């Protein structure tokens, strides 16, 4: 979810209501490998009673979406992120604009992917220097 969520940020979640999930929400879930993942919803497959059966998520800098997850694997929904001197909500202001940009402009994710790779390389390079 870099750069929206960065190392050192505090993320706050609330309980998740399957019927209220919408595209753009940022969810915390357990994937099939048992890892804890925080990614943005990009699609929802509903059952006949409009309850989500499968949720399709993707990290902001990932090029491909995650495998669909059953709604039962979702732990919570992101409410806000506390950065050093700033608190952001994914549903308001810059957080909402960022989500719309990520979902509405897939080429932007490719640019972010390149930036994230460069950022990781730089961090690793600087941490291994004497």
């Amino acid at each position: 979810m870099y750069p929206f969520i960065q190392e050192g940020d505090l993320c706050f979640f609330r309980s998740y209501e399957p019927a209220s999930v919408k595209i753009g929400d940022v969810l915390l879930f357990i994937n099939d490998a048992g890892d804890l993942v925080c990614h943005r919803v990009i699609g929802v497959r509903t059952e006949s009673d409009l309850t989500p059966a499968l949720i399709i998520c993707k990290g902001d800098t990932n090029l491909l979406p995650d495998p669909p997850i059953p709604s039962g694997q979702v732990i919570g929904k992101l409410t806000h992120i506390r950065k050093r001197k700033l608190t952001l909500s994914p549903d308001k202001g810059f957080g909402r604009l960022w989500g719309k940009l990520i979902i509405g402009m897939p080429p932007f994710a490719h640019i972010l992917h390149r930036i994230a790779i460069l950022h990781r390389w730089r961090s690793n390079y600087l941490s291994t220097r004497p």
Side-chain angles (χ1 to χ4, degrees), residues 106-124:
F108 189 64
H110 289 275
I111 295 167
L112 287 176
H113 180 74
R114 299 270 184 193
I115 292 169
I117 289 171
L118 186 62
H119 177 75
R120 278 188 227 122
W121 176 84
R122 186 173 157 252
S123 295
N124 290 339

Side-chain angles (χ1 to χ4, degrees), residues 72-119:
Q73 288 179 225
V74 176
I75 297 170
K77 177 184 171 183
L78 182 70
T79 58
H80 61 284
I81 304 162
R82 189 170 299 146
K83 297 180 176 286
R84 287 183 181 95
K85 296 180 181 181
L86 180 68
T87 299
L88 290 176
S89 167
D91 297 329
K92 298 176 187 162
F94 176 76
R96 182 179 170 129
L97 178 64
W98 181 262
K100 288 188 178 293
L101 183 65
I102 292 295
I103 292 169
M105 294 182 61
F108 189 64
H110 289 275
I111 295 167
L112 287 176
H113 180 74
R114 299 270 184 193
I115 292 169
I117 289 171
L118 186 62
H119 177 75

Side-chain angles (χ1 to χ4, degrees), residues 49-68:
D49 63 352
L50 300 180
T51 303
L54 293 173
I55 301 169
I56 302 156
C57 296
K58 181 177 142 328
D60 288 354
T61 59
N62 291 357
L63 298 179
L64 298 173
D66 304 323

Side-chain angles (χ1 to χ4, degrees), residues 29-37 73:
F29 60 91
I30 299 173
N31 67 9
D32 292 335
D35 300 320
L36 199 57
V37 179
Q73 288 179 225

Side-chain angles (χ1 to χ4, degrees), residues 11-22:
C11 297
F12 295 84
F13 297 87
R14 67 174 162 80
S15 60
Y16 155 78
E17 295 294 327
S20 68
V21 69
K22 62 186 181 305

